[in-house]
Amino acid sequence: MKNQHVRVGVIGGGTWGNYHLLAAKQLEAEGKVDLVAIADQYEPTAEKQSQAYGIKKYTDFQKMIRDEDLDAVTVATPDHLHREVALYAMDHGKHVLIEKPLDLTTAGCRTMVAAAQSGGLLLTVDFHKRYDVYNAEVMRQVRAGLVGRPYHAYAYMEDKITVPLNLLRNWAAHSSPFWFIGVHKLDLVRWVTGLNPVRVLAHGRKGKLQAQDIDTFDSVSAWIEFENGFTCTIDVNWIIPGQFEALVNQGLRIVGSDGIVELDGQDRGLRYCSTEQGTVTPNLGALVNQESLFGYRAVSGYYVDPIKDFYHNVYFLKNGGSLVQLDGRYPSGMDGQWATQTAEAVEKSIVAGRPVELAEI
Ligand SMILES: NC(=O)c1ccc[n+]([C@@H]2O[C@H](COP(=O)([O-])OP(=O)(O)OC[C@H]3O[C@@H](n4cnc5c(N)ncnc54)[C@H](O)[C@@H]3O)[C@@H](O)[C@H]2O)c1
């Protein structure tokens, strides 16, 4: 039978799980997905999202996976809870999209990648920087040789302090700026250059969040050596003031033997200032949410495009496509493993105060 809908459930209905639900709802309106259920262990959240999207609710994700005939699940639980959920889902034959980072241990990533391989399942990590059209253009130009041989790069990303203090209050201490946002930049630089990291020297600062009873790093600075002698410094923090003009500040520059590319990933040129909001520089690359011609909410931008892409890929598989045909076209479990291995090396280097080889992890 052709054009079979993909039956999906979302696990974790918090801030980011809501984007998973929005993306699924749109593809449902387009006739490719049936959004079946939300599983969130916190009942009020499960209830709220069930009402908002008109879907069934569960507080036990295992029960949802057992009881509903799903093709795929998307996972937006806190970072340290990804593995358990993904392994259970894959054990039950479900394709999985998982938020970054894939897992907080490289050993855990290896288990997850192996589970996907042995089950013939799609395992995708939501490295959404690849879906930012500006980054994609940088990737195309760099891979086409615009800067010649890549020599060195600088990538930075910083969140307002309201992210760990308010949005992630319950679990920020399980994470760090490198785990939460550094992995995005690591994946981006790997993707743009096609090169893999080899060793890391990192430094971290604590203080501001510790004083607010969140025991994690305020900032991390990592110098990463890749193959072919290419190097990249990644600076990340999640303590920029609440008054800053955007939730996220970020950018990238790459210098090579024959050129340079620079990207301000935050200020895309649109600027407002009002007495109520102060100065705001909206990033419409991240999210556009509008009524479509056909009466449903059409969402686009890199907050939702990777999730829509995953649903498209599962639809392709369900309707006769193969995993081999998708190879290299999505951020895979192995991409997730590279990011986690680097983040583990970063942590180890901070503690040991010396360079750490990825091969040690
Ligand atoms: N792609 C991105 O740029 C991006 C941005 C923000 C967050 N994230 C990632 O998304 C994930 C979720 O982050 P968030 O900001 O939405 O966090 P959140 O705290 O807002 O939401 C997490 C939700 O998971 C639920 N949950 C916890 N344990 C569960 C379990 N065992 N079963 C079912 N539900 C469970 C919680 O009740 C909560 O509703 C994290 O991995 C985070 O790193 C990704």
Side-chain angles (χ1 to χ4, degrees), residues 171-233:
W171 57 274
H174 288 281
S175 183
S176 79
F178 204 90
W179 283 112
F180 193 65
I181 49 185
V183 292
H184 266 315
K185 293 297 162 179
L186 185 276
D187 179 71
L188 176 62
V189 171
R190 267 191 75 236
W191 185 60
V192 164
T193 60
L195 299 168
N196 284 323
V198 175
R199 66 182 62 83
V200 165
L201 179 62
H203 185 65
R205 295 295 303 265
K206 286 189 176 183
K208 211 171 165 76
L209 290 170
Q210 268 185 332
Q212 306 255 12
D213 292 329
I214 298 178
D215 186 12
T216 185
F217 289 100
D218 294 338
S219 73
V220 172
S221 194
W223 182 84
I224 304 171
E225 190 176 335
F226 287 68
E227 300 161 313
N228 296 349
F230 167 68
T231 62
C232 178
T233 300

Side-chain angles (χ1 to χ4, degrees), residues 15-16 40-41 76-77 79 81-82 99-100 128 171 180 184:
T15 308
W16 220 260
D40 196 295
Q41 67 172 14
T77 55
D79 298 356
L81 302 173
H82 290 171
E99 276 305 326
K100 53 78 213 162
H128 67 200
W171 57 274
F180 193 65
H184 266 315

Side-chain angles (χ1 to χ4, degrees), residues 10-20 39-43 45-46 58-62 75-82 84-85 98-101 126-129 157 159 163 167-171 175 179-181 184 302-303 306-307:
V10 173
I11 303 173
T15 308
W16 220 260
N18 192 53
Y19 292 118
H20 291 211
D40 196 295
Q41 67 172 14
Y42 185 55
E43 206 282 331
T45 299
Y58 288 84
T59 50
D60 176 352
F61 76 87
Q62 297 189 351
V75 182
T77 55
D79 298 356
H80 57 290
L81 302 173
H82 290 171
E84 171 201 355
V85 178
I98 197 148
E99 276 305 326
K100 53 78 213 162
D126 183 12
F127 282 130
H128 67 200
K129 299 301 170 200
M157 187 163 173
D159 278 355
V163 171
L167 292 176
L168 307 180
R169 177 100 218 175
N170 292 337
W171 57 274
S175 183
W179 283 112
F180 193 65
I181 49 185
H184 266 315
Y302 61 82
Y303 280 10
I307 301 155

